[in-house]
C-alpha cells in the first residue's frame, strides 16, 4: 500500500511542474476549445519527482486580492482520456499538458490535474494519513494540512485531502503564491484516479471546482 501511495503522490506533484515549465516527459497541447496553449506561471507546490525534498521555507502571505477567481460565465467543455479511462469537464480555453499517467489544465494561477494508475485497494482516510501526508510534507513547499475527509461524487466514493502550500517561484519574477489544494482520490475496478485542484488562497472557486468534480465520470 505504501509504495502505491508514494508513486501516486509523486506523479500528481510532478505533473504540475511540467504543466508550468515543461519537460521532456510531457507535452503542451491545444486546449479543449482548440486554441493554442499559452505559457503559464508556476503554480504547483511540488518537489519535482518527489525523490528529493523541497527546500525548507515559510508559508508566503496570501494575497489580499489574488488573481485566481474563475469567471462566473466560464464555459466548461468535456475532455475524454482514453488512457485514463475517464471524462471530465474543464473550463474552455485552458492550456492542456499531458504526460504518461496524467493530464493537467492551467489558466493563470488555477490548475486541474487528473492522474491515474493501477491500485490494489480503494483509498481510505487512514491510508491517506499514513501514506500521502508524509510524502506531501516532503514534496510540497511549506505544506500545511487542513483536513482529510471522505464523501461521494456521482462517480463514486472519494477521499479528499485538503492542504495549503507555496507555489514554485515564478521563473522570471521569483514571486510565489499561497495555494489552496484539493486532492480527490477515487477508486474503481483496480484503478485509482486523483483529481487535484489548485488555486490561490482567497480565490472564490467553489462553484467551478464543484463543476469539475461533479462532471468526472469513468469510461
Amino acid at each position: 500500500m505504501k509504495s502505491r501511495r508514494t508513486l501516486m503522490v509523486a506523479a500528481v506533484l510532478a505533473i504540475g511542474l511540467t504543466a508550468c515549465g515543461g519537460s521532456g516527459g510531457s507535452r503542451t497541447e491545444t486546449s479543449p476549445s482548440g486554441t493554442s496553449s499559452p505559457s503559464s506561471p508556476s503554480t504547483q507546490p511540488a518537489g519535482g519527482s518527489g525523490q528529493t525534498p523541497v527546500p525548507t521555507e515559510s508559508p508566503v502571505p496570501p494575497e489580499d486580492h489574488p488573481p485566481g477567481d474563475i469567471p462566473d460565465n466560464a464555459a466548461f467543455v468535456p475532455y475524454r482520456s482514453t488512457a485514463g479511462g475517464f471524462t471530465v469537464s474543464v473550463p474552455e480555453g485552458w492550456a492542456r499538458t499531458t504526460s504518461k499517467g496524467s493530464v493537467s489544465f492551467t489558466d493563470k494561477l488555477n490548475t486541474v490535474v487528473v492522474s491515474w494508475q493501477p491500485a490494489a485497494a480503494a483509498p481510505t482516510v487512514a491510508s491517506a494519513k499514513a501514506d500521502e501526508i508524509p510524502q506531501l510534507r516532503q514534496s510540497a513547499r511549506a505544506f500545511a494540512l487542513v483536513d482529510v475527509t471522505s464523501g461521494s461524487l456521482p462517480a463514486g466514493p472519494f477521499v479528499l485531502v485538503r492542504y495549503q502550500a507555496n507555489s514554485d517561484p515564478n521563473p522570471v519574477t521569483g514571486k510565489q503564491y499561497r495555494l489552496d489544494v484539493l486532492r480527490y482520490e477515487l477508486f474503481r475496478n483496480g484503478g485509482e484516479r486523483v483529481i487535484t485542484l489548485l488555486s490561490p488562497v482567497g480565490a472564490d472557486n467553489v462553484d467551478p471546482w464543484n463543476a469539475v468534480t461533479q462532471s468526472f465520470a469513468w469510461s
Side-chain angles (χ1 to χ4, degrees):
M1 178 70 74
K2 185 171 182 180
S3 60
R4 176 177 67 85
R5 298 289 179 200
T6 299
L7 289 172
M8 201 64 177
V9 171
V12 173
L13 292 172
I15 185 60
L17 280 178
T18 59
C20 299
S23 76
S26 66
R27 65 182 185 274
T28 300
E29 308 171 347
T30 56
S31 69
S33 64
T35 59
S36 61
S37 300
S39 59
S40 303
S42 183
T43 58
Q44 177 75 359
S49 67
Q51 296 177 349
T52 302
V54 298
T56 300
E57 61 187 38
S58 299
V60 298
E63 299 282 320
D64 290 334
H65 302 286
D69 285 359
I70 299 171
D72 294 336
N73 61 352
F76 285 75
V77 294
Y79 172 81
R80 180 177 181 179
S81 171
T82 301
F86 67 87
T87 59
V88 66
S89 292
V90 296
E92 187 176 25
W94 284 26
R96 184 175 78 231
T97 301
T98 59
S99 65
K100 184 177 181 180
S102 59
V103 60
S104 69
F105 305 86
T106 303
D107 181 68
K108 299 181 177 68
L109 300 174
N110 298 304
T111 300
V112 176
V113 184
V114 184
S115 60
W116 58 89
Q117 74 168 39
T124 64
V125 170
S127 68
K129 290 180 177 179
D131 299 328
E132 277 90 349
I133 302 307
Q135 286 295 313
L136 289 168
R137 290 189 188 282
Q138 293 186 27
S139 300
R141 294 178 178 270
F143 173 85
L145 179 66
V146 176
D147 57 27
V148 183
T149 59
S150 60
S152 183
L153 291 170
F158 66 80
V159 170
L160 170 61
V161 179
R162 294 198 306 154
Y163 65 95
Q164 292 186 351
N166 293 347
S167 70
D168 286 333
N170 182 282
V172 176
T173 66
K175 184 175 178 60
Q176 292 178 279
Y177 289 88
R178 192 65 177 164
L179 303 178
D180 278 324
V181 187
L182 305 176
R183 175 187 165 90
Y184 288 82
E185 304 174 3
L186 300 96
F187 175 87
R188 182 183 180 186
N189 296 334
E192 187 172 55
R193 307 295 181 268
V194 176
I195 308 168
T196 305
L197 310 170
L198 305 97
S199 58
V201 170
D204 183 11
N205 289 333
V206 174
D207 290 341
W209 286 164
N210 283 340
V212 171
T213 55
Q214 291 289 321
S215 73
F216 180 89
W218 301 88
S219 62

